[in-house]
Amino acid sequence: MTRVVDEQLVLLNLDNEEFYGLDEVGTAIWFAVTDAPTIAAAMPRLLEQFDVDADILAEDTRTLLQELESRGLVAFAPA
């Protein structure tokens, strides 16, 4: 379950009722990857939004998504 509060996304794990907040960058990553068919397909959109090296952006995106997965907030479909 998600909700935008003051331009930041708040996620709720319904299993353990844990809240997790994303800053503006995390929120942008969330919307880009959830709107795209794959994480790789979200990268061009994110690169347009942020002045950052593509490798750094990819690593930051992986790190965020792994953190969300470890907290039970996302699940990945098999490729």
Side-chain angles (χ1 to χ4, degrees), residues 3-11 21-35 45-46 49-50 64 68:
R3 171 123 353 193
V4 176
V5 178
D6 294 329
E7 298 182 21
Q8 297 182 5
L9 191 70
V10 178
L11 298 97
L22 300 180
D23 63 13
E24 291 179 33
V25 173
T27 298
I29 291 171
W30 173 270
F31 284 115
V33 299
T34 58
D35 288 344
R45 175 178 165 182
L46 289 167
Q49 289 181 277
F50 301 105
L64 173 63
L68 295 176

Side-chain angles (χ1 to χ4, degrees), residues 37-38 76-79:
T38 65
F76 297 101

